């Protein structure tokens, strides 16, 4: 860890914590502090965090001597242009653009002092000292209820105000009252996400952020990242990775992170484990649908995906589904999907017989067969026809009109389209008029109208009906 910190200081962009800020006549705003990392030169642009302000370097001094640049380890006085001294405070950070980002939440590794009088328990309020900043904070322990004196543990630190940090940065915690030091530690993630219910995997990933191996830290950082605003360059400040591009390439080549195309011009990166979670959520949702509708062979793809749309961006959901399809956990039939092995259990002959029956009913169109006619036309076991019809109805492919007529859903959809076109609301029609229009008999027209009434497609008023207007 010490070697990693030294490498970071050598390779890191410019950063300096402000210990004094004042105005000088003829010069304007001046800040002083010790350069923690990197270097800066006159004319460069810097950011002031946590405010997110921008300023230009007008002049530099080191030990009261004018200089063209300052670097890590030096004391510096910086004359800033484009910003008033009242906008800066002790504890603010001057940094290279994009290097730091303000956050109220850190993941951290805490080491309790052996002299601490009591354990650090979950949700304890502490005084949090980070560089020259002191803030009140709440400690949420990860995976444990307390950290005993002399012991170490993982935690989420939630600050009273935003602050900036980088991976590995040390801090001190003091008891709120009476004030005395109880421990310290180092930052493991300077912009931690909100996790309401931390899983075992989340705790393990926080632990990996403390690893001495940069690839393992990088992988853990991607686990907690928001795909929409992540890039390899984040690995420097978030995970202490000195060579982000090479580390990113290794994660990609080993499959630990996945790049997903959301659109023609936009890709996002997702941890492979997160993609597994999305796929598992789709699988569970589909399993619940099978349990609620045991006779359905498959379920509408749109309904399944709508049930999990709150979990991730559509492209990531599609990638999770594709993973299930590639692993043959899910089977797709047109715009419907099912879990492999779920649904009604049919023998090969029964499956063939069902397919033949479905095609027979679809081809019949408006001349839909009755149960008796289906049995008579069966080339295999006639006794299976009622069960197969029930399966077809359960899958949504067939519809029972009345108690005996079996019509294909495709035929009904075509009828609805024709009737909507011929009788746009508020135009009315009778069963007799519909029978003539569809060139069918009362045997089909009456139960068909009753079915459309039941589905809310038509509205009956005595002997007439109107198509319900589309929303």
């Amino acid at each position: 860890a010490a070697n990693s910190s030294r490498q970071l200081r050598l390779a890191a962009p410019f950063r300096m914590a402000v210990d004094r800020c004042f105005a000088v006549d003829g010069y304007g705003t001046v800040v002083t502090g010790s350069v923690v990392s990197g270097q800066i030169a006159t004319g460069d642009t810097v950011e002031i965090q946590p405010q997110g302000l921008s300023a230009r370097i007008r002049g530099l001094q080191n030990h009261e001597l004018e200089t063209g640049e300052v670097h890590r380890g030096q004391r510096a006085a910086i004359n800033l242009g484009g910003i008033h001294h009242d906008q800066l405070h002790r504890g603010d950070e001057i940094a290279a653009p994009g290097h730091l980002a303000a956050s109220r939440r850190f993941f951290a590794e805490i080491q309790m002092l052996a002299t601490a009088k009591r354990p650090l328990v979950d949700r304890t309020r502490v005084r949090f000292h980070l560089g020259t900043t002191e803030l009140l904070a709440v400690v949420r322990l990860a995976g444990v209820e307390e950290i005993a004196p002399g012991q170490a543990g993982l935690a989420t630190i939630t600050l009273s105000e935003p602050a900036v940090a980088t991976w590995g940065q040390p801090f001190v915690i003091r008891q709120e009252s009476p004030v005395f030091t109880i421990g310290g530690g180092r930052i493991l993630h300077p912009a931690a996400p909100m996790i309401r219910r931390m899983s075992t995997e989340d705790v393990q990933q926080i632990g990996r952020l403390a690893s001495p191996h940069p690839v393992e830290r990088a992988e853990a950082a991607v686990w907690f990242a928001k795909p929409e605003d992540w890039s390899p360059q984040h690995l420097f400040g978030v995970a202490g990775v000195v060579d982000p591009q090479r580390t990113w390439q290794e994660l990609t080549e080993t499959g630990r992170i996945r790049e997903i195309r959301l659109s023609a011009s936009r890709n996002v990166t997702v941890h492979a484990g997160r993609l597994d979670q999305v796929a598992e959520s789709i699988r569970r949702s589909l399993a619940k649908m099978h349990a609620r509708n045991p006779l359905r062979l498959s379920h509408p793809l749109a309904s399944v995906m709508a049930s999990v749309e709150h979990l991730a961006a559509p492209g990531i959901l599609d990638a999770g589904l594709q993973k299930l399809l590639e692993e043959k956990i899910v089977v797709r039939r047109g715009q419907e999907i099912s879990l492999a092995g779920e649904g009604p259990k049919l023998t090969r002959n029964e499956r063939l017989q069902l397919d033949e029956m479905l095609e027979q009913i679809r081809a019949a169109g408006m001349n839909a067969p009755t149960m008796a006619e289906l049995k008579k036309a069966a080339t295999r076991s006639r006794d299976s026809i009622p069960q197969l019809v029930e399966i077809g109805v359960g899958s949504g492919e067939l519809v029972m009109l009345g108690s005996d007529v079996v019509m294909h859903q495709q035929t009904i959809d075509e009828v609805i389209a024709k009737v909507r076109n011929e009788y746009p609301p508020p135009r009315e029609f009778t069963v007799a008029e519909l029978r003539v229009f569809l060139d069918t008999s009362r045997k089909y027209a009456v139960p068909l109208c009753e079915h459309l009434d039941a589905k809310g497609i038509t509205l009956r008023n005595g002997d007439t009906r109107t198509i319900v207007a589309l929303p």
Side-chain angles (χ1 to χ4, degrees):
N3 186 51
S4 295
S5 296
R6 188 176 73 84
Q7 286 180 313
L8 281 174
R9 288 195 300 271
L10 291 172
F14 177 80
R15 181 184 182 190
M16 186 190 85
V18 175
D19 54 30
R20 293 179 63 213
C21 177
F22 49 90
V24 177
D25 289 342
Y27 290 91
T29 301
V30 175
V31 295
T32 64
S34 297
V35 181
V36 175
S37 64
Q39 64 182 27
I40 201 80
T42 302
D44 288 349
T45 298
V46 292
E47 285 182 346
I48 294 92
Q49 295 289 359
Q51 300 95 317
L53 302 172
S54 180
R56 185 177 59 84
I57 306 298
R58 296 175 60 185
L60 294 166
Q61 285 188 355
N62 172 231
H63 294 297
E64 300 184 356
L65 297 176
E66 298 287 339
T67 181
E69 67 175 32
V70 292
H71 54 77
R72 181 182 64 86
Q74 291 185 321
R75 286 288 300 175
I78 305 177
N79 181 202
L80 295 173
I83 189 168
H84 195 276
H85 73 277
D86 286 343
Q87 294 177 274
L88 293 99
H89 310 88
R90 174 180 170 82
D92 290 346
E93 300 268 359
I94 313 296
H99 178 44
L100 300 176
S103 173
R104 290 188 57 205
R105 194 175 300 105
F106 303 149
F107 290 146
E109 182 179 48
I110 294 177
Q111 174 66 56
M112 291 292 290
L113 292 176
T115 55
K117 296 180 180 179
R118 59 180 65 89
L120 179 68
V121 298
D122 190 35
R123 298 178 185 272
T124 296
R125 282 170 54 94
V126 298
R127 296 180 182 273
F128 186 79
H129 296 260
L130 182 73
T132 57
T133 300
E134 177 186 348
L135 293 169
L136 292 176
V138 175
V139 179
R140 292 299 313 272
L141 302 181
V144 295
E145 293 298 322
E146 63 178 38
I147 303 175
Q151 299 299 308
L154 304 173
T156 301
I157 309 291
T158 302
L159 306 177
S160 57
E161 298 177 21
V164 291
T166 53
W167 177 88
Q169 185 171 342
F171 62 83
V172 172
I173 55 173
R174 309 183 76 190
Q175 185 170 291
E176 184 180 16
S177 181
V179 179
F180 59 84
T181 302
I182 59 175
R186 58 176 176 147
I187 301 298
L188 297 182
H189 195 305
M194 166 73 78
I195 303 177
R196 298 190 182 279
R197 294 184 180 180
M198 191 170 289
S199 66
T200 300
E201 181 64 24
D202 290 329
V203 176
Q204 292 173 350
Q205 294 290 353
I206 294 175
R208 292 186 181 106
L209 288 168
S211 169
H213 305 294
V215 173
E216 190 169 349
R217 296 199 305 271
E219 182 183 350
V222 177
W223 173 267
F224 293 111
K226 294 181 179 179
E228 58 270 21
D229 57 9
W230 186 257
S231 73
Q233 295 309 315
H234 286 91
L235 294 177
F236 194 99
V238 171
V241 176
V242 176
D243 191 346
Q245 291 295 344
R246 187 176 68 178
T247 302
W248 191 267
Q249 183 178 354
E250 182 173 342
L251 288 174
T252 302
E253 290 174 349
T254 56
R256 283 179 274 185
I257 62 175
R258 293 274 302 275
E259 191 170 272
I260 296 171
R261 180 178 292 274
L262 292 188
S263 67
S265 60
R266 185 176 174 222
N267 293 350
V268 296
T269 301
V270 179
H271 191 287
R274 290 295 191 193
L275 196 58
D276 289 342
Q277 287 184 337
V278 169
E280 175 58 17
S281 296
I282 295 173
R283 188 203 65 79
R284 286 200 302 265
S285 179
L286 188 51
K288 290 178 181 178
M289 291 185 180
H290 278 300
R292 290 195 297 265
N293 301 278
L295 290 178
R296 286 195 70 122
L297 292 173
S298 55
H299 298 272
L301 174 60
S303 298
V304 178
M305 300 305 277
S307 69
V308 294
E309 64 183 0
H310 62 286
L311 298 176
I316 297 175
L317 292 176
D318 291 342
L321 174 62
Q322 186 59 37
K323 184 176 188 297
L324 293 173
L325 292 170
E326 291 172 356
E327 295 175 357
K328 302 189 185 307
I329 295 172
V330 164
V331 177
R332 182 168 182 171
R333 300 181 182 90
Q335 293 304 307
E336 298 215 342
I337 59 174
S338 65
L339 289 176
E342 287 293 330
K345 303 299 185 288
L346 301 177
T347 66
R348 182 175 179 275
N349 284 336
E350 287 172 334
R351 178 71 253 186
L352 290 172
Q353 187 174 6
L354 175 60
D355 290 341
E356 289 177 358
M357 185 189 72
L358 291 173
E359 177 56 27
Q360 174 192 350
I361 298 171
R362 187 200 64 79
M366 281 299 300
N367 296 314
T370 63
M371 290 290 287
E373 290 168 339
L374 285 173
K375 287 183 179 180
K376 183 177 180 180
T379 59
R380 293 179 174 83
S381 175
R382 293 177 178 175
D383 293 337
S384 299
I385 292 298
Q387 179 193 9
L388 296 179
V389 169
E390 187 177 7
I391 290 172
V393 172
S395 70
E397 295 173 87
L398 299 180
V399 174
M400 290 296 301
L401 295 181
S403 60
D404 198 40
V405 175
V406 186
M407 189 170 287
H408 202 282
Q409 181 62 52
Q410 178 181 318
T411 302
I412 292 179
D413 291 340
E414 292 170 354
V415 167
I416 293 171
K418 290 179 180 179
V419 175
R420 284 191 187 279
N421 184 62
E422 181 69 15
Y423 299 101
R427 186 178 173 188
E428 298 178 332
F429 60 91
T430 63
V431 172
E433 289 172 333
L434 184 67
R435 180 180 64 78
V436 173
F437 171 64
L438 295 176
D439 191 22
T440 187
S441 66
R442 187 174 178 82
K443 168 185 173 181
Y444 298 113
V446 171
L448 180 60
C449 283
E450 292 173 348
H451 175 73
L452 298 182
D453 292 342
K455 291 295 182 181
I457 296 167
T458 54
L459 182 64
R460 184 175 180 178
N461 182 20
D463 292 334
T464 64
R465 288 174 170 82
T466 55
I467 290 286
V468 175
L470 292 173

